Amino acid sequence: MSPSMIAPVVEEENKKYQRGVKHLCETGVTKVPTKYIWPEPDRPIFTKSDKLIKPKQNLKLPIIDFAELFGPTRPHVLRTIAEACETYGFFQVVNHGMEGDVSRNMIEVCKRFFELPYEERSKYMTSDMSAPVRYGTSFNQSKDNVFCWRDFLKLLAHPLPDYLPYWPTSPSDFRSLAATYAKETKEMFGMMVKAILESLEIDGDGDEAAGELEEGSQLVVVNCYPPCPEPELTLGMPPHSDYGFLTLLLQDDVEGLQILFRDEWVTVDPIPGSFVVNVGDHLEIFSNGRYKSVLHRVLVNSTKPRISVASLHSFPFTSVVKPSPKLIDEQNPPKYMETDFSTFLQYVSSREPKWKNFLESRKIGHRLK
């Protein structure tokens, strides 16, 4: 086939992948297309020197009983949070008050959104990263060389009245259920911020950062991972850290989240109704490196679809993020440069995002390669 004949075929193939993995599955795919096959060392299970590398046993993250933050054991809970943020960069929260209908309804209505016809879902497809609603696929579909087995719906959520009119109207109860979920996770984040600051021995009352975070950004990201015919060849999401201060993740009962712990990928045991909370890049910067934004990735499987809802919270998009002055002294000089959202957007729009490259680029003394 001549080059002039190949080009249209390749372009048509790329268009097919841009429509998303859910659409691909709906066409009856039985093998993972080359576009989704990861290099061997990056796959969930791979053979190296005739040795099969298998995932380690599941990891039980530290569990925070949210209700105990408001009782006499609060100092103990704060120590547990500090240790979790330093050691794992992750912890799980139970007894948070959202175990009932709010969480269940959010997972259920998100499942129904992704079951809508492609023509309905695709109304929200855009490459504009600042759009109030964005439906897409993979991790960064305009830059990814290899695609991920994941579709997403991203919703800007604060201030909610500004963005709610743009949210999907189908399913008919999507807006009302998602709005309730966004409001309640925002409230939960506010209480978590007070605990995080206190665990860093920062008085949140009157603290400038605490005030900014209270009015800060919120992005709700719904992730859909359809069953994959060859899950050993691909990833739901590549290794990455979260841009932001804290992420509150709600999962269904299908495991898939892995974190890098002591240089090994370990699967996080999902606890029904719990939230997985993880440190974002902004909190690592704000804590001057004391709390770690840890790499994580997502595996897929061949039998069960998986839905997760991440609520990413941080400073307002216009804010400058820097190490807290209350954590800086002669013995602890700042380890990170100041940064802002526009710097991040410029960075990710100019290259394929990998690992913790953006955060590394903000470290003082780091040399760009």
Side-chain angles (χ1 to χ4, degrees):
M1 191 180 288
S2 70
S4 62
M5 294 173 70
I6 292 172
V9 173
V10 171
E11 187 178 343
E12 188 55 39
E13 282 287 292
N14 284 335
K15 274 186 187 175
K16 181 170 69 175
Y17 303 139
Q18 291 290 337
R19 295 182 189 120
V21 72
K22 186 78 165 59
H23 183 262
L24 192 67
C25 291
E26 289 163 355
T27 64
V29 67
T30 56
K31 291 181 72 68
V32 171
T34 304
K35 183 73 175 174
Y36 295 86
I37 297 178
W38 283 72
E40 197 169 281
D42 297 332
R43 295 176 196 169
I45 302 173
F46 65 96
T47 303
K48 189 173 183 180
S49 305
D50 298 321
K51 181 184 176 186
L52 187 66
I53 310 297
K54 296 183 179 179
K56 299 294 181 183
Q57 69 181 57
N58 288 8
L59 179 69
K60 297 189 186 303
L61 291 172
I63 296 174
I64 303 299
D65 187 325
F66 197 69
E68 291 185 2
L69 276 172
F70 307 97
T73 58
R74 182 178 176 89
H76 169 73
V77 178
L78 294 175
R79 284 194 298 273
T80 304
I81 289 174
E83 289 165 7
C85 292
E86 290 169 356
T87 306
Y88 298 92
F90 278 78
F91 53 89
Q92 297 207 66
V93 176
V94 298
N95 289 341
H96 45 71
M98 290 177 61
E99 292 90 349
D101 290 345
V102 175
S103 294
R104 280 196 301 270
N105 288 345
M106 186 61 179
I107 291 288
E108 195 266 338
V109 79
C110 290
K111 284 180 181 176
R112 286 190 280 122
F113 173 84
F114 283 100
E115 287 166 0
L116 292 170
Y118 169 73
E119 291 71 25
E120 183 66 31
R121 302 193 306 266
S122 65
K123 289 178 183 177
Y124 305 99
M125 271 200 161
T126 175
S127 58
D128 180 3
M129 294 181 75
S130 63
V133 179
R134 188 156 66 98
Y135 179 72
T137 191
S138 192
F139 191 64
N140 183 350
Q141 69 197 81
S142 62
K143 296 292 176 185
D144 294 345
N145 292 319
V146 181
F147 268 24
C148 300
W149 202 263
R150 168 229 189 195
D151 289 348
F152 62 78
L153 178 69
K154 297 187 177 184
L155 307 165
L156 288 177
H158 186 78
L160 191 56
D162 291 359
Y163 297 120
L164 192 59
Y166 298 97
W167 287 13
T169 53
S170 186
S172 58
D173 53 351
F174 184 91
R175 274 192 193 175
S176 60
L177 295 176
T180 299
Y181 179 83
K183 282 187 280 192
E184 296 210 10
T185 49
K186 181 72 173 173
E187 288 175 13
M188 182 179 165
F189 167 71
M191 290 182 273
M192 287 303 316
V193 164
K194 289 177 181 175
I196 291 282
L197 294 179
E198 199 173 332
S199 73
L200 287 166
E201 299 178 350
I202 294 174
D203 183 1
D205 293 334
D207 183 77
E208 182 184 353
E212 286 192 63
L213 287 165
E214 189 174 334
E215 291 305 316
S217 60
Q218 179 182 11
L219 176 67
V220 175
V221 182
V222 185
N223 301 300
C224 172
Y225 307 98
C228 176
E230 297 172 293
E232 69 279 5
L233 299 180
T234 191
L235 290 170
M237 285 188 78
H240 67 285
S241 60
D242 286 356
Y243 177 85
F245 196 84
L246 276 183
T247 299
L248 280 56
L249 179 73
L250 177 69
Q251 309 177 83
D252 61 15
D253 58 356
V254 181
E255 67 179 34
L257 175 65
Q258 287 194 321
I259 72 170
L260 191 63
F261 180 64
R262 295 175 181 165
D263 296 323
E264 299 280 359
W265 287 109
V266 285
T267 301
V268 173
D269 259 340
I271 300 174
S274 72
F275 277 88
V276 175
V277 178
N278 65 281
V279 173
D281 293 350
H282 284 173
L283 178 50
E284 179 168 331
I285 292 172
F286 179 80
S287 69
N288 203 35
R290 179 176 164 185
Y291 291 173
K292 302 299 182 188
S293 168
V294 170
L295 286 167
H296 49 290
R297 68 181 189 180
V298 177
L299 307 188
V300 290
N301 70 84
S302 61
T303 57
K304 295 180 179 179
R306 179 172 179 265
I307 292 282
S308 69
V309 186
S311 189
L312 291 84
H313 301 261
S314 197
F315 296 97
F317 291 132
T318 54
S319 289
V320 171
V321 182
K322 60 187 177 183
S324 170
K326 297 176 181 178
L327 300 176
I328 301 299
D329 55 31
E330 286 186 10
Q331 285 72 41
N332 297 287
K335 298 175 182 175
Y336 301 85
M337 294 180 277
E338 295 181 354
T339 189
D340 57 21
F341 189 63
S342 62
T343 304
F344 170 72
L345 279 184
Q346 184 179 1
Y347 187 93
V348 297
S349 62
S350 64
R351 69 201 76 202
E352 185 180 12
K354 291 179 180 176
W355 300 81
K356 290 176 66 172
N357 283 5
F358 176 73
L359 185 63
E360 293 297 321
S361 76
R362 308 316 296 163
K363 287 185 176 178
I364 290 174
H366 172 84
R367 291 183 179 179
L368 287 173
K369 295 179 180 178

